[in-house]
Amino acid sequence: MHILHNYKATTSKIQNRILAIFLIAAVVPILTIGCISITWLRSQMQEHYEKQLEAEAMRANSVLFDITTSVYTASEPLVSSNQWRQLFGSQANVHPHDENYADFTSDVAALKNNTAAISTILVYTNNPHIPNNSYIHRISAFEGQEWYSVLSDKDWNHWGCVSSTRRRQDYYELSLVRRIATLTGKYSACLVVRLDTNNLKNRMNQNTYTLISTVNNYPVFYSNNESFLHKNFPFQGEYRQDFFTYNGPIHLEGGNQLSRIVSFRPYGTKDMFYICVSAPDAYRSMWNLNFSYGCIILIGIVVPMVVILLFLSVFSRRLTTLKDAMHKASEGDYNIVEQLKGDDELSEVFTDLKRTVQLIHEKEAAIYTAQLNEQILINKQQQMEFKMLASQINPHFLYNTLETIRMQALAAGNRNIARSIKLLGKAMHYVLENSGTNSTTLDRELSYIKTYLDIQKLRFQDRFTCEIIVDNGIQPENYLILPLLLQPIVENAVIHGLESVAERGYAQLHISLNGDILWITVQDNGCGIEPQALTHIKRDIKEHNPSDSKSIGLYNINQRIRLRYGDEYGLQIESSKNTGTTVTLCLPAQNINQE
């Protein structure tokens, strides 16, 4: 019993030491590095969002300042001209055909028609001698008019929000109200310029962030999220000051959103505009980042901990087995039938013990059998370990390995091998990145095609040239297509079309736009296709079970296009023997900006 107690104590000490070493050498560094990494990544992500919000706020600020300045300066001649002051201060009846009256009406109409930002222009006057028309309204008193509340007693120009009704719905329009000083002083006139809300949307709504704008203490007159329109500005802090800026969280839509608030004073008035730009998903994205990295750190700790505990459990059983065998031998019982698997010092001690006992009983054959069985177990274990390692080799590992080999080739001065590996790694990276995705941009797909052609040029050298032509007016980064759509067609043009061409092989990829149709044409001057074979290929492209394995790639491309966009889109192929082959893709022009 005393010996058994000593063995258990020894086993417990070894387990505790291994666990302590694991905690010190693995858990503490992983937690420390993980926490530092999460903090740094979160700060980088928040800084990225803040820079984007700052840039968007500056853009909206610039657009709104430009609109208000242009409207203010354009309306200046209507309020500062002595000719119009005399007109609205006239104490004699003004006939609609009077020259001054007609000229003023014409100037107002010209300003309205030539300024896209203006929705309506109206001049209100209490002069009974001025007749009404579509731009001049005669009223008995200014008090009580909603637009008149925008002006204070001492100010002559002010920006404000004036309610209006459109399609039986009330809404606010950003308006400029300006007094027209009459020469007599007996009568008054005010110019009310209302800005076009649709024009504001077209010029300001160019991003996925939430944009809110107001002036002075008025409700929100513009937002790309209609739930904020005509409500109070969402920020509750002390922001009523000149040139106010704020970066931080704001409570919007039931939660905090990372936001930036800026302000500016428009040209010619004492008003103050406030613009709030917020990123609804910023904090959620940062939380998801923290959660993901936290799970990774937890897995990085739990998995090794489980492995260590399993190892200690096996180790403890092996020590117990060794202890029992030694105890039997010490008492003269040489009938040791237990097996201690493994390839370490414990197994060696156990083997030595069994060998000693077996030598006493002159059982050399049994010793040989035991050694053979042990070796078989070791081989099986090595095979299992090899299979485990092989199962861990995935495309991402291959891509990282290629990058390592490329860096070694560069270090060795072999730039040709480094370039070949770089091209292959770049192609693999694109394929991995777009595996399982539904769309990519046209410029990224063309970049992948260029990489593929560079790889083929390493094989064919100067036997062929390839040209990519994009018509003027097409910006590839703005159009979406299915990923990995063009490479099989280009590969057919290079491999099947140009492989038999000894020199001067040529392939062209041409992208054109016709209305809302995007045409992509791949043409080569290769050996072409026999008429009978071409007929079979065209049939196989449309059938569900292509008979020729060479048509499966084209059939898959055609099916992908039709399943995604509809039966009116797809693939066409034309070819002549010894002339070349032309493959044309008909796709919908999906412009990111328009969508």
Side-chain angles (χ1 to χ4, degrees), residues 539-556:
R539 181 197 62 196
D540 290 344
I541 290 175
K542 297 181 180 179
E543 292 182 356
H544 294 285
N545 295 309
S547 59
D548 188 356
S549 60
K550 295 181 180 179
S551 305
I552 293 178
L554 297 178
Y555 165 78
N556 289 337

Side-chain angles (χ1 to χ4, degrees), residues 125-356:
T125 181
N126 58 2
N127 190 338
H129 304 293
I130 303 297
N132 287 329
N133 61 23
S134 58
Y135 296 105
I136 300 176
H137 285 190
R138 187 178 65 246
I139 56 178
S140 59
F142 293 155
E143 291 75 8
Q145 299 290 328
E146 184 180 2
W147 55 265
Y148 190 70
S149 62
V150 173
L151 292 173
S152 62
D153 295 336
K154 297 182 180 180
D155 292 326
W156 286 79
N157 308 288
H158 254 307
W159 287 94
C161 293
V162 179
S163 64
S164 181
T165 301
R166 179 181 295 173
R167 297 178 182 177
R168 298 181 180 180
Q169 292 183 350
D170 294 334
Y171 66 101
Y172 284 95
E173 286 183 325
L174 179 62
S175 303
L176 173 64
V177 182
R178 305 188 67 179
R179 297 180 190 270
I180 301 177
T182 58
L183 297 180
T184 60
K186 183 176 181 180
Y187 303 110
S188 301
C190 290
L191 176 69
V192 180
V193 182
R194 302 190 184 201
L195 300 192
D196 190 350
T197 303
N198 291 329
N199 181 267
L200 284 176
K201 290 181 179 180
N202 293 335
R203 296 190 61 180
M204 297 185 67
N205 188 16
Q206 298 180 5
N207 63 85
T208 57
Y209 295 129
T210 301
L211 182 61
I212 305 171
S213 182
T214 187
V215 57
N216 299 330
N217 293 315
Y218 287 96
V220 173
F221 67 83
Y222 172 78
S223 176
N224 54 6
N225 186 339
E226 294 185 357
S227 62
F228 295 107
L229 288 175
H230 320 316
K231 297 180 181 179
N232 292 331
F233 199 62
F235 187 60
Q236 302 300 322
E238 295 295 332
Y239 64 93
R240 303 299 180 182
Q241 56 182 332
D242 291 352
F243 307 111
F244 172 80
T245 59
Y246 170 79
N247 280 315
I250 293 181
H251 190 77
L252 294 173
E253 298 181 315
N256 287 335
Q257 296 184 11
L258 183 62
S259 306
R260 180 175 177 84
I261 298 177
V262 297
S263 65
F264 74 91
R265 190 178 297 281
Y267 174 77
T269 72
K270 296 180 180 180
D271 304 294
M272 186 62 66
F273 281 82
Y274 300 94
I275 298 172
C276 175
V277 183
S278 62
D281 298 329
Y283 287 124
R284 186 183 302 110
S285 299
M286 287 186 280
W287 186 90
N288 290 338
L289 177 70
N290 291 344
F291 180 77
S292 299
Y293 272 84
C295 290
I296 293 173
I297 294 173
L298 184 62
I299 292 173
I301 294 175
V302 171
V303 172
M305 178 67 74
V306 171
V307 173
I308 291 294
L309 292 176
L310 291 176
F311 169 77
L312 290 178
S313 176
V314 175
F315 183 76
S316 177
R317 289 198 299 269
R318 296 173 74 222
L319 277 179
T320 302
T321 301
L322 178 60
K323 179 267 302 178
D324 292 339
M326 294 179 67
H327 183 67
K328 287 180 179 180
S330 66
E331 291 183 351
D333 184 1
Y334 301 110
N335 187 21
I336 301 174
V337 296
E338 294 88 351
Q339 295 292 332
L340 192 63
K341 299 179 181 180
D343 186 15
D344 54 13
E345 288 77 3
L346 287 179
S347 62
E348 292 176 358
V349 172
F350 190 81
T351 302
D352 291 340
L353 176 63
K354 290 187 65 175
R355 184 182 295 114
T356 302

Side-chain angles (χ1 to χ4, degrees), residues 389-577:
L389 290 174
S391 66
Q392 295 175 358
I393 299 178
N394 52 44
H396 292 282
F397 173 76
L398 293 177
Y399 172 75
N400 293 332
T401 302
L402 286 174
E403 182 63 16
T404 302
I405 297 173
R406 185 181 76 86
M407 296 305 297
Q408 292 176 347
L410 283 175
N414 197 326
R415 295 186 174 273
N416 290 332
I417 295 179
R419 182 172 182 270
S420 302
I421 296 174
K422 178 182 180 182
L423 292 175
L424 180 58
K426 185 177 180 181
M428 286 185 62
H429 184 272
Y430 180 81
V431 173
L432 291 172
E433 190 178 42
N434 288 277
S435 297
T437 61
N438 292 325
S439 63
T440 187
T441 58
L442 181 57
D443 64 326
R444 296 183 63 190
E445 184 76 0
L446 292 179
S447 177
Y448 172 58
I449 294 301
K450 292 176 182 178
T451 301
Y452 170 78
L453 291 173
D454 288 340
I455 294 174
Q456 290 296 342
K457 286 181 180 180
L458 295 175
R459 172 187 174 185
F460 293 102
Q461 299 298 326
D462 296 330
R463 287 174 56 187
F464 79 95
T465 59
C466 188
E467 183 178 14
I468 298 177
I469 301 176
V470 181
D471 284 355
N472 292 334
I474 299 178
Q475 297 179 338
E477 66 273 12
N478 292 336
Y479 290 90
L480 295 176
I481 67 170
L482 289 169
L484 305 174
L485 193 66
L486 303 181
Q487 186 270 338
I489 301 175
V490 176
E491 181 178 8
N492 282 342
V494 175
I495 302 300
H496 301 298
L498 301 177
E499 188 172 23
S500 60
V501 177
E503 61 182 5
R504 297 183 180 178
Y506 176 76
Q508 181 190 89
L509 192 153
H510 181 210
I511 298 175
S512 60
L513 186 65
N514 185 6
D516 57 353
I517 300 296
L518 188 67
W519 295 95
I520 302 179
T521 303
V522 179
Q523 182 179 8
D524 66 74
N525 65 342
C527 59
I529 305 173
E530 295 285 352
Q532 185 177 1
L534 181 61
T535 302
H536 285 297
I537 291 175
K538 289 183 177 180
R539 181 197 62 196
D540 290 344
I541 290 175
K542 297 181 180 179
E543 292 182 356
H544 294 285
N545 295 309
S547 59
D548 188 356
S549 60
K550 295 181 180 179
S551 305
I552 293 178
L554 297 178
Y555 165 78
N556 289 337
I557 293 174
N558 190 56
Q559 284 298 104
R560 286 180 66 196
I561 295 174
R562 296 179 66 185
L563 289 174
R564 179 64 185 272
Y565 304 121
D567 294 339
E568 64 271 24
Y569 303 100
L571 178 147
Q572 303 172 4
I573 180 171
E574 299 295 335
S575 181
S576 298
K577 184 62 177 178

